[in-house]
Structure formats: structure tokens, C-alpha cells
Amino acid sequence: MEIILRKKKQVKDIISHKDLKISGSRFRLGRGADQDIHLPNSRVALEHAILEIDKNDTLTLTATENHSFIHNNITTTKAQLSEEDSIQIGGFFITPKYSSDGLVILEIFEKFTDQTKAMKQELIDRTSRGLENSFLSKRLLAFGISLSVILVALIFPFSYLEKKEQSTLKDVSNHILMPGSLSIHHSEFSSDCTNCHEGAFDSNLTEACKSCHEGNMDHAGSSHVSFNLEMESMECTSCHWEHHNTETNAISRQDEGFCADCHGAEIANSELLIVKRFKKHPQFRVPYKKRQGEDGYDLIPISDYQQNSELSMIRFPHSSHLDNKLQNNLGQETELECNYCHVSDAAGEMNKVSYEEHCDSCHQIELTNNSSEKLVLPHKYLREVVTKVNEFYKDESNFDVTSSNIDSTSLVIPGSQRVPLTVGDRNLNYQNLADAKLQEIVFYTGCNTCHNVVPDFEQTNFPWKIQSVDPVNWYSKALFNHKAHEGQECAECHKGIEQSNSSLDINLPNVEYCQSCHLGGWGSPLKTASTCVTCHIFHIDPVTVEPEQDEPYQETRAH
Amino acid sequence: MHDSFVTYKNFYFLKVASALTAVLVIFYLFHDAYPEPNGGSWLGYLLGILGAVILIWLSLLGIRKRRYRSSQGNTVSWVSAHIYLGSALIIITTLHSGFQFALNIHFLGYFLTLLVVLTGFYGLYAYSVYPDKITANCGDLTRDTMFDEVIDLDERSLAVAESISADLYAQILELIESCKVKPSLFRQIFSNSDYKNENLESLVNRIIDSINSDHGNRDKLSLLHDFILEKYALLKRIDWDIRYNCRLNWWLYLHVPLTLALIAAVSIHVFIIFYYWW
Amino acid sequence: MAEHFNIIIVGAGPGGLSAAARAAEMGESHLLLEGSPTIANTISKFQKGKHVMAEPAVLPIRSKIAFEAGTRETILDTWNENITKINANLKFNSEVQKIKRNGNVFQIDTKDGQYTADNIVLSIGIQGNVRKLGVAGEDLEFVQYQLDDPDEYIDETIVVVGAGDAAIENAIALSKNNKVIILNRRDEFARAKEGNLNAILSAIEKGSIECIYNANASKVTNIGEDNGAEHRLCFEVATKEESIEIECDRIIARLGAFPPRKFLDSCGIEFPSEEPNAVPSVSGEYESNVKGLYIIGSLAGYPLIKQCVNQGYEVIEFICGREVEPADESLLWEKIKHIPNVKNVNEGIEIIRSKVPTFSSLTPLQLREFLLDSDIYKADLGQTLIEYNDYTNTFFSIISGEVNIRLTPDNPNNTVSIGSGNFFGEMSLISGRRRSATITAGENCIVIETPRRSMNKLINSVESVRRVINNTFISRAIKMHLAPGLDDEEISEVISSATLSEFKPNEIIFNEGDAGDSLHLIRSGSVTVSKVIGDKTTTLAYLPAGNYFGEMALLNDAPRSATVKTAVATETIVLQGKEFRRLLSKNPETKKKLEALSEARSLSNTTKKSGQGTDIVEFMMEQGLGEATDVLLIDESLCVRCDHCEKACAGTHGGSSMLDREAGPTVAGLHVPTSCRHCEHPHCMKDCPPDAIHRTADGEVYIADNCIGCGNCVRNCPYGVIQMAAVSKEPATPLWKQIIFGIDPYPETRDKNAPKKAVKCDMCKDLAGGPACVRACPTGAAIRVSPEEFITMKLQS
């Protein structure tokens, strides 16, 4: 079967056509390049329809799957074509004809008049063209916003920088620039950067500071010559920082560098140890023994400490106080906790342990007479004790002079076991009971329990004195705040205190123990702060905790 | 076969970015800044510099994508990295700020960073959602061919109308000339309701009426009716196409300008910081 | 007394000029008479800026008159320059009125002088008297017979009469700014060059030019503006059916020209026939029947400019009684001298004809022409001539020595060698696919390497060559795919039984269940294998050229197990079952191999799920991807319509994009933009006058700079992926300007006259990192894949 494709074209008034013979009985119509009848128009599918022609030249057009065509104005998918029918596929109008010599002519006419073009253009013009063609422009927006940023954040504040007179605008401009507010100490300057900052790109504010703070004030005691020299060359801002609005309002640095900047390195003519940071902190040192001739102590690392010299001059076994069930004067049983004696004040400072408060309730020495009246001997002042004992025994009514034996039960000596005097002893040294008693109290049942009784040969008739108690501040160079560590059991840090039988033991944590929590540094979400200033105080003369100066124990003489 | 910018090299840049941020966060947690975490500590400076560098690199995408000859990595790899490093930027800048916020230029930079990255996130969403919708909506037509179809329908309905009555012809013509698809920007971005055209609908109703009344022209009228409905459907699709395309891209009109503003803000921030050595 | 010269040359066309130049060079006394005031009258009448070709390209110019392809203007300038430099003796404005022989000298009369000469060279061409409309009003104003500058006329209605190249070129040039109607006496454009033919046809299709076929001019009348008509002329035209009146502003008739018969007769020159366009017959030395009167150029029937120029030179040599060897002699010698102990070209030709049976059937002339495009060289031992998997498609013939064919690509030692007289490389030449093996030169091996184009020309023109090559192809294909290790006589029977069959695109070769007793080897093109599984036809495989199918039915003579359909126009070699089975029975191990293979195939077929991947494959085939080697695929679900691919393409190709993202079909979320798919047998390659379209070893099809912008490829590409564009040489806007001011990277500052060239995707072969379109895609939606691997992947997944 042969048919003629007549491709017609119209431009303005003249219609031209081109004939093309194709043969076959089945023709594929479509946009695809491989189609028999090629309809190049995007509205036509690649393979849009099949045209079949049978023996007697009847044409049937069948649209391919989910496509359709318009046959005499009716949209359909299959149609028998008779002469002069009009088929529309996309922009193409197809009309079958029969030529004079009986050939089938398929007139293909792509109708795309200028009018159509115009209509389409109008519709498109009426339709929105998407962002690219809209009034919006990334470029303009970008320049606009950036410009306003520059205006607000740079030009505006800087234009007000030099202005001296106050105004809200000036205030605003300052706050735009200011990275962090000032501490309360300096808050009144915050209205104007130039109050402190004189030149641009200049971190040195010393002049500004000096204008209010004259001299180098109380930076360091007279003993820190080297530091004071050093300071001459330093700027205030190297240790004093602003614009960090912390709760503490601290201006002075407190970080490790604050100290370590100097102490991290050898310091001229001083035997100070080099400490770079807490991790590198030397072993804690404890007072060892009195220095020859002078006051103060030798310090040795706690790790090297051996029990060999009593410095506090008191005998106190923690063990016997902490675990035993104890009986007080009234015979009541009590159990002692650490905090029975060691009580910290609000600030976390530990109060002194005093006989009256903490020992008296158990350690009381009484004399009992026949009519079983009790006489409580005072604790302090051996002189008084001597007088009191003598008076007690002078009074005959209290006492059967003739009886030479001392009622063993008349003495209450808690704690240490009783050591009775033999008659021999007594008769050997002393003629009267009071003396004997006295001697017994001092040497065996009383003082000597906790205190050292030392000979004093200047005294002729009672050649003894009682050494005064001098509690030692083991870690004298550092401050320690118990409050901060309330959470912990005493024994956690004071290891082995329950077993300690002697006041020679120092049950104190060593530096490693502290470092297990205190990693050093100012502290971070995951680290316990422990800079130098956590435990040490900036250069005021060294921390020495003196024992309270109350009246010293006098040696006393029996008359 | 296709390797999307999200899953590029199975999330290579996601891994890189997360690793980076993880490291930085850990640093931050252990870092003791005095007197509180801030941009002035060494870590602060590090984070600041890092953030700035990343920011600059991210904005370089705008240049890279125009450098068609450059052989330094596919654009898709750049985009992939752009996304993940961009997200990381939020964390980095936050750490840099040390959670110190106040109404000043230094915060402005941080704020803009957040905005830019957030718009970026929207973009990610848009890019993953709308292409499919566009395809679904257009089928195998393009917007241009849809216009062709519309015009074709117009012409045919005109032809039919002419054969019915001059008045109807006039109406159709009026309709054609008035018809437009011009959703407002707001509508393009936010509205989800179909395109609506009252005079078109009213005309359809009028035609339906006359179908029932005017039996002579019933067939023609129903034909016309179909044409118009078909056109209406097409207009709806065009409308959706416009909207989808808009939603695909409008965020860029924030993302890009804000980026530039951000760069400005950051440079000012740096300048001022060193102006007084704060 | 009339001035006397040895040689008088009449007509300062290319021939005349070259003759004069030669004469002057040799110091012959000579005179060049030119009727018009300028040289090369005809060429100067070419339309402005016309690109003048220099065919045949390889032929050397031996005259002092330089000539190479270029625009009309440049060529004329060079000639003026040359001729003045050589100070030839020219005389313009002296039209020769009479030439008569008295005694042994010629007497020549011009309107203002008289000369005598011993010899005359007539190089007047035939454009001297053009054919007119031959109807009333043919000499009216606005009825013209030449066109200088088409851009002179704007918004006119112009009727171009004629169907020759001149007419077509004028019409197309004019149609840019005018409404053009072309009148064709016949119902087709028979006389036009193919390029021009396609051009005018597509112009007519596009509607930019209207054509009235079977039309004869009958009358031209002048309707002045005075009586309100919008056009100047009324052109009455009669076609078979009706008589049309065309109102127009201008008529340009390009109806060719005659030899000036009257004048020539008067000179006593005889013509072979009475045909108006017959040319006088001349001797091998261009001498006419009148002794001493020589005729060269188009008047002697040699229309090509290059020929004229050479003839101008040669004729002088002849007149002075010197021998001239053919122009291509030296060229050929350059090639042939590589053959050892050969003294001259003819020897070489003979040797080749004797050594290489393929060419023995060629006449020396054919072989000469053939060798002009080919290369002859001595390959050093081990030098690689063909690299496995390359896309090169040149054809090699061995003159002497031998080459080694690597049987397995990776193992250099496992080779067979073929010796002198053989040829290789025909596989890729025919199938258009990658090289199937690596071939290296052996001992003192000398080969002829022939480019695809001229080899195809030869194959198509010389039957014997075609047959030889086909048979070799078949036998080698069989050896390679079916019966490795069998020698020729074993398979000779099969080969003799083999027949070649061609199929149209989407033609079904055989249906599932057909009785079939033949095996097909795909020679070129590709097919899809499908099978009804469940209730749906399911594509099983896509087989490009070089593969075979139909072996299952043949092995266990069962009905066809699947339907095979061509994807593109396909040629297969059909092996008859009887012979083939006999072959197998002779070689059990071959049989085993084959059975094992078909086992594997049928297994993979049975494991196929119904409908799996079919739609996509079907679709790809629909898109003519069957012949693609590399195609751009966009994943619609990733594509954000940013058109970066297009921008990138434009950005890397002088501002003109070679791909249109939106256009092109989509299926299952997969979009195939219109962009080059680098076909196996690129349609664009056929009929490229300067042979500017090439294929790189990696398979990219690209257009070289020597494109002359004829636009043939544009029309030949069925996928519409080649455009004509003025490739702007001026650099793009600097990037910072683009970004800050948003200036278009390639501002439309190109002048309209800039020569347009064909541009197409070249896979960015010059860019590190591959195609810019793919690398510029921000979302990874665009990829370029070979359909083969893509489909296999789709079918497996």
C-alpha cells in the first residue's frame, strides 16, 4: 500500500506543500524521530497513534495507550476515517483525501497561526512567571540587608563613639558594640567606651586605670620585692579583666595563669617551688619539728612524714573516742561523732576544740569527803588545783586524819586505768595526804593523761610543770573550707582516723587525693574548679594560724 | 545509579561534620574558660576562626557552582558538604558564643547564622519534596505545552461557540481574554487550595443551564462544556506548577541575601573585637 | 601595429589568474584580458560572506595563486595581492570581442585594442551569460540574476527562481529578513548538493521558506506603489493545477548559465552536442580542436576552483612543452615512500594491489584516490595499533610483516598473528562499537590505516571489497563469540551458509514460540529480548552489536524461547542451523561451551520476575537509546529545575547550550533531556563536507574546528541535539561581574555576521573531570551512563 503524505505549510497568504510517498499498511504517527509519519511538536506523544489502511483503502486511526486525538471535534482513541475528515493531533490537522489516480493522500497541516502565537503570548504575559521574573531579586535583597547591617552595627555606633554628651542613642550605640557588660565596680563607665578605651587597636588600659587607681596599692606585702618589681612592667589588664559579667563581679583574674604566669617559672632569688598548674602541685607539706633556735617549723612532704615528734603537746587517741561506748560523769553512755568536737562555723572554719566544751563532760576530777560531798577540781591552772587539794585535806572534818589510806573510789579517773600508790612510796616522799593526792592526780590519774608533765628543777618543792598545748595547723600555707566538702564523710578524707591511737598521726589527704577531684583550672562543666586562689591567698604575707594567746600555764609551787 | 546530594558517598560529609562537632563539643565540655566560656579563650578563638572559615567556604558554593570548568569536585559533593557543614555551623557558633547572648552586633552574627541555616533546612526539605510533586503534576507535559493545550482548547471552544451564538462567542472570548493564572506570592508559598476562577465556573453553569433548555445545540454545548472544564483542569495544573516551582526556590531569596548580611556582620564583629581588643 | 604576445589569457578567473601568474613566473610574454573591472568576476558575485570551499581537500595547490577555503572576501583579497606581487600583465575592462586565426597567430580584438598571440588560453567560465527568466518582464527593475549581499534586503517579499545550489543558498540567506518564496520548475530539488537539499527542505518544513513546486514563470508585471499595492511586482506563475499570482518586491532568478556558444562558435570551437549547456571537448592538455587555443576551467567542464587554479598552472606548462605530473603525485609519494625499496608512486600502487588482495580489484585511479585519505606507515615492533575497548574505527590493511592480535585483553602473550595481505579493524568499523581486541605490530610490519569515512565510501562503491570484508567480519565474529579456536576451513561451511539480513527499527526478528532454526549475530544496531512471563511481556536483555541470539532454539531444536525486537536499524548475520549444528558436532567442546552459555541465559531468564524493569527498557529503546553509547539521564525526583546543566554546558561551550533539560520524555521519574547520546553509528558523521566530526578513543563524538557550518549534521541528527551557533570567541563576563552585577556570562554582543558553526555535546572531553552538565548538577540528579550498563542494572535490580 502506498500513500502520499502532503505536508502543508501556511505562511501569511501562501500555502506550500511537499509530497512524500510512503508505503506499508501500518504507519506510526508521533513525535519520535523513528516514526513513519513524523509530527514534530511537543504536544504529540513520541508514538501517538497508528494508522492502518486495508485493501480497499479504508483508514483506521488508533491512538496508542493513554493518548487520544480529535476526530471531527470529538476526542477519541479510535476512528474510521472518511474523506475530508479532520483529525487533530497536537497542533497538526490531518485530512485524508483521494487523489485522481485513486491514491490515498494524507494532508498534514500544522496550523500555528500568528494569532495563536499572540493568544499564547498574551496568556503567558497574564500569568505569573515565577520568582526569577518577579520583582524580587536576590542581589538587591542581599545588598539591602547587608547595607542595613553595616549601617546599624558599624556606622551608627561608630558615629556616636566620639560624641561626649549622653543620650539614649549614645547608650544604644554603646550596647551594640559592647561584647559583655561591666562589673558593678565599673558599671558607671559603661555609658561610653572611650571612658576607658582611648586608642583603637590598643589593649593597654593601664593609663585609664591609673587615672583613678593611684600607686600600686595593696598588691603585695613588703615581703614580695620581686613581685613588686615585676609589677612595674605589667599592665593592669594582664590581671584585671572586664566585660565578663560574672555573678562574682570579680575583676581580678582567678584562673591558674593568674599565679602560674609567674610561679610557673623560677623566680629570682627565692626558694619558692615552681608550680605550673594544680596537676603539677608539689606534695602537701606538714610541719615537722621546731626549727633550731627560731620559731616556726620545718616542713616536710606529708609522704615523708614519720611519727617521731609530738608538736601539739597533747595526747589524744581518736580511736578510743570514736568507737567505744563512753560513760560521762553522770554515768550516761554516749557515742561520739567527729562533729561532737569538730564543729565548723557558718563560713566553714573549724572551731577550736576546748576542754570545757568537749572534754569536761567526761574528764572531770572530783574529790569526795566523808559526808560524800564532791569537790570538782578546775582544769586549768595547776596552782589552783594545788591550793584546792591542800584546802580539801586541811579540813579535818572532811577527812579522818588518822586513816592513812586513800579511798580508792574517791577518785574518778575516766579513761586511763588507775595506778594506786603504794604506802611505801607515799611515806618515802611525802608526809601528808594532800601531797600524795596531788602527786597522784598530776602524774597518774589527771594531767598526765593528756598533757606532758615535765620536770622543772627551778622549783624546789614541786619541781614539775605541764607543757602547754599547741595545736598544729598542718597545712598552714593553704586555706581549706570544710563547708565546700560537706557532702563527704570525714573519714573519706581523714583516712584511718578511727584507728588512730596517737595524736602523732596526721590523718590528712595528700595532694594526689585532692587531685582525684580537683583537676586544676578554673573549672568547666565537667571539672571541679581548683585554681591557685582556690586554696591560696594572693600575695599578702603568708598565712600563719597562730594558737590563741590565752594565759600560759604557770608552773605552781606547793607551799 | 543516581547519587543524591543528601546520601552522597553514603553520607560521607555527614560523618565528617558530626565527627568535627563531636570533637569540638568534647573540647568545650573539658575546656575551662576564665571566667566563663566565651569567645576570648583559646578554644573560643579556635571555634571562632573555624566558624568563620566554614562560613566563607560555604558561601563559596555560590562561586563554585558558576565555575563550570573547575575540576575541584562535583557540585553535588560541594552541596552535600555545604548542607552538613552548614548544620554543624549552628553548634560551632553556639559554642563560640559560650551561651553569652545580648542585644549587640556580636549576637547579630549568631542570630543571622541561625536564620541562614534554618532557611537552608527548609531548602533541604523543599528539594526533597517538590521535585516529585512537580513531576506528578506536569505528567509528560511542560508548562509551555500546557499553555499550548489551553490555547488550543480556547481556539476550539471559540470555533464551537461561534457556531452556536454570537453572544456565547463574545462570552467565551471575554473569558479567554480575562483568564489568567497569577497567584500572589503569599498564595504561591502558603496556600494549598486549588486554583479558582469564578467567571469560568459561572460560565460553565450558564452552559449547563442552556444545555437543558436549548436542545438544538445540546451536543455543541456539551462539547463546549467539556472544553472549558478541560481548560479549567489545565489552568489548575499550571497554577500548581507555578506554586511548586516557587516553593522550590523562594527560600533562596532569604538564604542567599542573609548569607551576605551574615558575612558583613561577622566581619564587623571581628573588626570591633580587635578594635578595642575585647 | 597590434602588440604581440606568446600567450594571451582571456578571463581573469581563478584559472586565468593562475595561468597568468605561472606565465609571469616563467617569464613568458603574456597578457591577461578581463572584460570586467575586477578579477574573478564570478566569485566576486557570490553572495557576501559566502564560505567558499576548497574541494577536493587533499589536492595540493601548485600555482602561485594561493587558494584555501574561506569567505569570498578573503579569497579575492589574497588573489589580488598574489597577482600584483607577481606583476602579471593584466588588462581590465577589455572584453574580447573577436578571436580569429590568421596565419599561425591569433588576432584578438577588444573594444579598444588589438593584440596578436601564438597561444590563447580561454578561461572565461560560463557565468558570463546567465540564463534569464525568458518571460515578459524578465528585464524589469527588481528582477535580478545575482545576489550580492542578502542583508541588503529586509522585509521584502522575494521570489527566488531556480532549484540549484545558488538559488537555494540565496533563498536561505534571504529568508532571515524577508519572506521568501522559491519557485521550483520540478517537484523536487534534484540538482542541489545534499547539504543544500536538506537545508531547503527543512526550511520549507519550518515554514521559513515557501516553495511552489512544478511552477513555471509566465509573466512579470510592474505594479508600482502608485496604485496602492504593497508590493512592486506581480509575478504570474503556472503550476500543474492552477496559475498563481504572487505579489512580491523582488525576483531573484538563479537559473545557471550557458557557455557563450555564439562567441565560441565564432572562434571555430566545436561542441560535442547541441545541448545548450554542453561544453567544448578538450585534449588531455586542455587544447581545443583549434590548435593553440586552450580552454580551462568550467568552460572546459571543470567547475571546481581548485581544479581551475591547477589547470591554469598546468596549461602554461603544456604550452611551454614541459611535462607535468599529476597534482597528487607528491602527496602520494609522501605516503608510499614508507614502503621499502619502492622508487615511485606507481610502483607503490602496484605493490599494494598485488600484496593486499582486498584492493586488487581497484583501478589504480580508485586506489590513488583511496590512498590520498589513508596513511601508510611502518609500525615498530610491539607498537599498539588498536587498543582494546577504544572507540577508534579506522581500518588497517597489512602490506607486509605481521600483527599480533591479543585474544584475552589482559594477557599480552596469548596472541595469534595475521600476516601481510590481511586487514583488521573491520569489527569496530562495521559495528560502531569499541575495539574488541588489542592489536600490536609484529616484525617489520607496514600497514595502511584508513579513516572510517573513506573506507565506508570504498565499501559502498566497490562490491568486491564489501564482500571480502563482510566474510572476514562474519568468520571472525563467529570465531570470537561462538567457536573460539576453530580455524577457517572448519567454519568455512557455516560462513558460506551465512546470510546478511537487515531490520528496520522496532522490527520483530522472531516471536516467542516461532519455529526457528537459525542463529543471529548482530552485525550493527541492537536488539531487545523479551518474553511473556506471567501475563506481561518482560524484557530479558538488551544486546548491542557483536552479540548473538537464537542459539537456544538451535541447540535443542525447540521453538524460540523469547521474542527478539530491534531497537534501531539493525543488521544481523544469520547462520543456518544445519551447517552450524554440523560444525558443533565436529567440535564437541565448542558445543559444550555454547550449551553451558545458553544454559546460563535460560536460567537467568526463568528467574526473571514478571514485568521487571521492562517499562524502563522499552522506554529507553523508544528514545533510540539502542544506538547510544552514552546518554544523559535525569532523576526527576532529584532535579530541582535549576537548569545548571544547561548553564554549565553553555558556560563551557562559548555560551551556547547543547542540551535542553526540559524538552525530552520522562518515564518512571527518569527524564532523558535532548542531548547527544554519541551513537554507535553517528548520523551526524555522514555527509560532513570537511569531515569535521570525529570520535575520540573514549567514544565521544565531537565536531572539530574545521567545521564550515554547512549544517548537514544538524539536519542529519534524528535527535535534534546539534545546533548552529556563532561560537563567541570573546571571553565570558568575568565571574565577579556575573555575581555582583548579575551580568549574563555571555552577553548577546555577537555580531549577526559572525560565522555560525555546528555545535554539539563533546562530553567536555577537554575538561578534567568529565561532562560539565553532570558535574554542575547540585543535587546529583544528572548522570551520564552507557545504556548497556544502565539497562543491565535495571534488569537485575
Side-chain angles (χ1 to χ4, degrees), chain C residues 614-650:
Chain C
T614 304
D615 49 355
I616 197 100
V617 175
E618 283 302 314
F619 163 77
M620 305 264 288
M621 292 309 125
E622 234 178 73
Q623 298 320 307
L625 294 189
E627 60 181 329
T629 64
D630 175 288
V631 61
L632 179 63
L633 291 178
I634 292 183
D635 181 342
E636 290 256 314
S637 63
L638 285 176
C639 173
V640 295
R641 279 75 170 168
C642 62
D643 281 339
H644 254 88
C645 34
E646 288 183 18
K647 291 177 194 148
C649 189

Side-chain angles (χ1 to χ4, degrees), chain C residues 389 414 517 526 589 624 683 695 697 706 743:
Chain C
N389 259 354
N414 176 10
D517 189 28
S526 57
E589 73 286 348
H683 303 267
R695 164 163 239 159
N706 61 331
I743 299 174

Side-chain angles (χ1 to χ4, degrees), chain C residues 479-500:
Chain C
K479 275 201 238 155
M480 179 178 220
H481 298 289
L482 302 174
L486 297 192
D487 50 33
D488 295 355
E489 49 272 21
E490 276 178 297
I491 55 174
S492 54
E493 193 178 32
V494 181
I495 292 169
S496 55
S497 81
T499 56
L500 209 67

Side-chain angles (χ1 to χ4, degrees), chain C residues 383-416:
Chain C
Q383 175 186 349
T384 307
L385 301 170
I386 288 181
E387 186 69 51
Y388 174 70
N389 259 354
D390 269 7
Y391 260 111
T392 53
N393 45 23
T394 51
F395 178 90
F396 291 82
S397 326
I398 310 171
I399 298 175
S400 70
E402 59 171 29
V403 299
N404 302 321
I405 304 173
R406 218 173 269 179
L407 295 176
T408 49
D410 34 14
N411 171 8
N413 307 328
N414 176 10
T415 60
V416 295

Side-chain angles (χ1 to χ4, degrees), chain C residues 767-783:
Chain C
L767 290 187
C773 49
V774 172
R775 283 186 304 113
C777 179
T779 61
I783 54 166

Side-chain angles (χ1 to χ4, degrees), chain B residues 178-230:
Chain B
S178 70
C179 143
K180 63 171 193 254
V181 190
K182 218 182 179 82
S184 67
L185 193 57
F186 176 85
R187 190 174 148 70
Q188 291 188 30
I189 298 173
F190 300 106
S191 161
N192 282 328
S193 58
D194 262 339
Y195 166 79
K196 198 148 172 54
N197 184 332
E198 282 74 8
N199 12 0
L200 204 144
E201 281 167 2
S202 63
L203 182 75
V204 171
N205 298 333
R206 281 208 297 282
I207 292 175
I208 293 175
D209 300 342
S210 39
I211 287 180
N212 306 333
S213 56
D214 175 353
H215 295 286
N217 292 324
R218 166 165 298 180
D219 306 354
K220 288 183 183 171
L221 281 168
S222 52
L223 190 62
L224 192 58
H225 172 261
D226 299 346
F227 286 166
I228 295 177
L229 286 190
E230 208 175 322

Side-chain angles (χ1 to χ4, degrees), chain A residues 7 9 11-14 16-18 28 31 33-34 46-47 139 143, chain C residues 179 181 201 204-205 207 210-211 213 506 623 665 718 738-740 742:
Chain A
K7 295 207 170 169
K9 275 279 174 340
V11 179
K12 294 217 179 70
D13 42 1
I14 294 175
S16 70
H17 69 73
K18 169 158 161 283
R28 294 167 307 133
R31 189 172 89 238
D34 57 341
L46 287 155
E47 181 164 343
R139 209 161 269 101
F143 291 145
Chain C
K179 174 178 164 190
I181 305 156
L201 290 184
I204 292 168
E205 288 230 14
E210 303 142 38
C211 178
Y213 292 93
N506 298 319
Q623 298 320 307
Q738 293 176 34
I739 291 169
I740 296 178

